[in-house]
Amino acid sequence: MSERKKEQDGLEFLRTFKRGVEFTEELMAENVRLRDRLVDLEDQLASEGDKQVDPEESQSQRKSMELENADFHRRHGEIDAEYDRLAKLYVTSYQLHSSKEVKQVMTIVSEVLINLVGAKSFVFYVKKGTKLVPLQATGCEAEHLDSYNKQHAIAKALEAGELWLDDGHGTRGTGVVPLVTIPLRIGHAGLGMISVLSLLEHKECVTELDQELFRLLGTHASTALSAALLYAVVGDEAELVERLIDQIGLALGGDGKAP
Amino acid sequence: MTKILQALVVEDSPTMRQLIGFALRRIPDLEVDEADDGVAGLKKLAEKQFDILITDINMPIMDGLKLVSLVRKDEKHKDIPIVIITTEGAAEDRQRALNLGANAYITKPIQAPQVIDCVRKLLDR
């Protein structure tokens, strides 16, 4: 993936996040408006309860209120779903980038797959030569993918740094063949892959939000892993900070020395 | 004036703690505290009064079933509403928790609206 594409993807993510926040704020404001309207209508209905009302007019008003109620519930559901989506994306990104150890990053990825997506079985692979070697398997036995056939759709998606979805991703998966594969790359270099084989019993299929989470994992997990590795290599937090300051200075055109 | 209620989330996964916290903070007049295992949860319960407990089952040091059992024996919190977090497949664990005194359960993968509805109903909010 080119640097330009990575930058574009990053900007697109920020724009999506910002649009999501704006949308949520608009919907929450409308939520308040609709709630107030509902209270007004209920008060109105209560105060007119004793009056002699034309039955037809009463039915028409009731129907109008029912339609408003239904619209209110629909909008409320949209707000809740959007909030849930933004919260999951934020928490995933936050947790990945707040991890300082490789093992912690791997744990966070597993937690996201199980607790946020509802994956039942999945495998972490690392790339070694032309092979994908399983590093860790959850909910299944992992086999080496010895036949790294570059013509296979999964391999092509991996090379392109793209998510791959099986045609049957509208199901829970078999637990034997991949349902979804998530490429792990650092820059142009392939690090490995996460293969999701099946979902929990009550989870019907891979959703659009799940796909967003997979894409987030694919890019951010790799970055978080490389940061954790850097932290492990340097070892000392104070030295890491000093080296970072030097690098920031260099990047900004200074002499590269900490002040 | 509406009383500020206190929720305690006991969960060893920081991802889940943060996500459940986000959901609960959408409920007005509800403050959220956290603990990362059953022992830490018990310590928090000893330190202050909570109005609802949300706990995972599978945790290190002390699991959620043990925690539920001990909370039900604690005079201060014996009537506190308890929500357990479970996977759908763990029907036995879920039944055990309900038998021990849990009031409701949330299944993974968690959805914020599900958490909010469950807690709101138990707190009558």
Side-chain angles (χ1 to χ4, degrees):
Chain A
M1 195 188 289
S2 69
E3 288 301 314
R4 179 111 181 97
K5 179 136 191 345
K6 265 176 31 182
E7 194 183 321
Q8 281 171 345
D9 283 352
L11 285 171
E12 185 55 38
F13 174 75
L14 283 171
R15 275 194 285 266
T16 305
F17 197 84
K18 189 165 178 276
R19 275 201 302 273
V21 169
E22 286 166 358
F23 176 67
T24 304
E25 282 171 355
E26 283 167 18
L27 285 178
M28 285 176 78
E30 193 169 337
N31 186 5
V32 169
R33 185 191 69 77
L34 287 169
R35 277 186 186 275
D36 289 343
R37 177 78 183 118
L38 188 64
V39 166
D40 287 345
L41 287 170
E42 282 174 348
D43 286 345
Q44 195 181 336
L45 195 65
S47 67
E48 287 174 0
D50 293 331
K51 293 183 193 168
Q52 292 291 329
V53 180
D54 176 48
E56 270 190 35
E57 191 185 325
S58 169
Q59 197 179 9
S60 165
Q61 278 184 348
R62 190 180 299 279
K63 203 163 179 164
S64 168
M65 272 178 62
E66 281 170 8
L67 284 171
E68 272 203 74
N69 257 348
D71 185 55
F72 169 76
H73 279 295
R74 182 185 60 80
R75 297 291 271 169
H76 199 263
E78 284 176 7
I79 292 171
D80 278 346
E82 185 62 17
Y83 189 90
D84 189 44
R85 174 181 162 268
L86 290 172
K88 283 179 177 170
L89 292 174
Y90 173 79
V91 166
T92 299
S93 180
Y94 179 96
Q95 290 295 332
L96 283 172
H97 293 294
S98 64
S99 303
K100 288 193 284 195
E101 295 173 11
V102 170
K103 189 178 173 187
Q104 207 177 353
V105 175
M106 300 294 282
T107 302
I108 299 288
V109 175
S110 294
E111 282 177 3
V112 169
L113 288 171
I114 295 169
N115 295 325
L116 274 61
V117 171
K120 182 179 175 183
S121 54
F122 50 92
V123 184
F124 281 110
Y125 291 93
V126 286
K127 198 174 167 193
K128 290 197 174 173
T130 58
K131 294 182 186 174
L132 281 170
V133 175
L135 210 59
Q136 185 185 70
T138 302
C140 59
E141 296 293 325
E143 291 176 1
H144 284 59
L145 290 183
D146 287 325
S147 316
Y148 190 59
N149 183 350
K150 288 200 171 182
Q151 295 310 307
H152 193 283
I154 292 176
K156 284 182 181 174
L158 197 59
E159 286 299 309
E162 289 168 3
L163 199 67
W164 176 85
L165 292 154
D166 182 57
D167 287 340
H169 70 275
T171 67
R172 279 188 217 99
T174 60
V176 176
V177 294
L179 185 64
V180 178
T181 62
I182 305 159
L184 298 171
R185 292 162 68 93
I186 296 175
H188 298 290
L191 174 65
M193 181 176 86
I194 303 170
S195 174
V196 177
L197 302 175
S198 64
L199 305 174
L200 292 169
E201 279 76 19
H202 59 287
K203 171 99 180 180
E204 285 184 10
C205 64
V206 172
T207 63
E208 279 187 26
L209 173 55
D210 295 335
Q211 291 180 43
E212 283 191 82
L213 284 167
F214 292 149
R215 286 191 183 91
L216 191 72
L217 285 175
T219 47
H220 290 235
S222 304
T223 312
L225 282 168
S226 53
L229 178 63
L230 174 68
Y231 189 79
V233 164
V234 174
D236 180 64
E237 201 170 66
E239 193 190 328
L240 175 66
V241 167
E242 197 169 315
R243 286 203 198 180
L244 276 171
I245 291 170
D246 289 346
Q247 286 299 312
I248 291 167
L250 271 174
L252 296 174
D255 61 3
K257 297 288 177 204
Chain B
M1 193 167 138
T2 315
K3 184 187 165 199
I4 306 290
L5 298 180
Q6 305 289 330
L8 177 62
V9 177
V10 182
E11 167 59 77
D12 62 319
S13 158
T15 311
M16 286 286 281
R17 278 203 307 275
Q18 192 176 20
L19 199 61
I20 295 170
F22 269 153
L24 293 180
R25 285 179 182 100
R26 288 189 64 198
I27 299 174
D29 302 313
L30 180 70
E31 289 182 354
V32 183
D33 204 346
E34 298 171 2
D36 57 9
D37 64 68
V39 170
L42 277 179
K43 192 162 177 277
K44 293 259 178 182
L45 286 162
E47 285 165 2
K48 79 179 194 194
Q49 185 69 41
F50 286 92
D51 301 288
I52 188 160
L53 170 65
I54 299 105
T55 177
D56 190 11
I57 286 188
N58 296 317
M59 292 184 291
I61 304 173
M62 182 192 288
D63 66 29
L65 293 175
K66 183 75 180 169
L67 176 64
V68 170
S69 159
L70 288 173
V71 167
R72 284 296 178 236
K73 289 174 187 163
D74 167 25
E75 196 55 40
K76 196 164 82 168
H77 287 106
K78 63 183 169 63
D79 295 321
I80 187 176
I82 300 177
V83 181
I84 53 164
I85 302 163
T86 175
T87 53
E88 187 67 27
E92 245 182 64
D93 276 348
R94 193 161 57 242
Q95 195 51 55
R96 278 179 66 197
L98 293 173
N99 291 344
L100 284 168
N103 300 90
Y105 62 89
I106 297 167
T107 49
K108 299 174 185 179
I110 69 161
Q111 312 290 340
Q114 181 194 13
V115 173
I116 293 168
D117 278 347
C118 180
V119 168
R120 269 199 154 131
K121 277 181 188 146
L122 288 172
L123 292 176
D124 196 24
R125 284 278 176 99

